[in-house]
Amino acid sequence: MTCKNLPARSGQQFSISHGDYKAVVTELGATLRKLTYRGEDLIVSLGPDDVVSCCHGQILIPFPNRVEGGEYTFEGKTYTLPIDEHARNNAIHGYGYRSYWKLESLTEESVALTWRTPNMAGYPFDIVATATYSLADDGLHLTIDAYNNGDANAPWALAIHPWLANGLNGYGDEIDGHNAQCSLTLPGNTHVTVNENLIPTGTEPVDGTKYDLRKDTLLTEQPFDDAWTDLDHAEDGTVTAVFTRPDGLKVKVGGDETITSFQVCTGTKFPAFKHPAGVAVEPQTAYANAFNTGNDLIVIKPGETSSTSLFLGAFAQ
């Protein structure tokens, strides 16, 4: 039997707009599928039926990045998560992006969706997450609220994973050269060192290394798939990274005082089919393996809510 009028594989598509900005958020994962400024893609966008090869625009909850061996101990109890990065034997990027979220509200300029964590052995905590996207004159704002509906403390961390478009729309290895024409300012004073499985082993000052991006720096020393912490926040509590493209367009991404680190990935030498034409710049409340180390881990008490505000926008020179 042939089915007709099938929905998009990423579910319903929620389009919002304000001034120079337009965005599309999907039902699957509450994912930011598309964001444009004056008609220019600010993120590497996908079609509604496309496979998300590199976490394009996804929300990473209840943990970003990796949990070593898929196992962690929290408040005296050990939990085992499914391994989904098999080459490195890690659990990666949480589970919110895998599920269809429920639409709560939709206006011309905003959309809100919710997701309740399933009762899974590796993360049995009862969290209700709400993602609210809104557009304003200065770009996209995203607030993620996590309410603990259970009767036990819950470990929590998050990140967003936008691939900032370099504007050159290359393919495969040529993207490395295109990204080298881009620059990044990232106010991180400390670089996170990792082992061969990209699990943190410690930290080091960025001074005198290729990881010192505190001033605008061309991304010529690829690869980068690294985290920075010890961030310099502004007086209002926000922290901002600025990505500058060869065409002069500047893209800002960051968040509030709950953002303690950034992950940056250039995708250098990725297989052509999964190499986005840009650079991932990911604000995080905690970097990799926080469920084991406890570094910057948020603990949500029963009946309480953890809230993180993030933003992504552009301005021309």
Side-chain angles (χ1 to χ4, degrees), residues 109-186:
E109 298 178 342
S110 68
V111 60
L113 300 101
T114 59
W115 173 66
R116 184 179 182 184
T117 54
N119 191 2
M120 57 187 296
Y123 191 82
F125 309 99
D126 188 0
I127 299 295
V128 180
T130 302
T132 303
Y133 291 90
S134 61
L135 292 175
D137 289 345
D138 60 348
L140 178 81
H141 296 264
L142 168 60
T143 299
I144 301 173
D145 295 314
Y147 171 72
N148 187 346
N149 190 58
D151 56 7
N153 290 344
W156 179 259
L158 67 82
I160 56 172
H161 202 301
W163 282 90
L164 306 183
N166 60 32
L168 296 174
N169 301 314
Y171 183 76
D173 287 346
E174 71 173 339
I175 295 171
D176 299 330
H178 293 166
N179 285 342
Q181 301 173 48
C182 302
S183 61
L184 183 63
T185 306
L186 194 156

Side-chain angles (χ1 to χ4, degrees), residues 1 40-41 52 100 123 138 172 177 188 209 236 246 256 270 304-305:
M1 178 181 292
E40 286 282 335
D41 281 324
V52 178
Y100 289 93
Y123 191 82
D138 60 348
T209 74
D236 64 359
D256 63 14
F270 277 21
E304 295 190 357
T305 298

Side-chain angles (χ1 to χ4, degrees), residues 65-84:
N65 213 288
R66 294 162 175 86
V67 174
E68 184 177 17
E71 188 172 280
Y72 66 98
T73 298
F74 176 71
E75 296 191 345
K77 186 173 180 179
T78 298
Y79 301 89
T80 301
L81 298 159
I83 298 296
D84 42 20

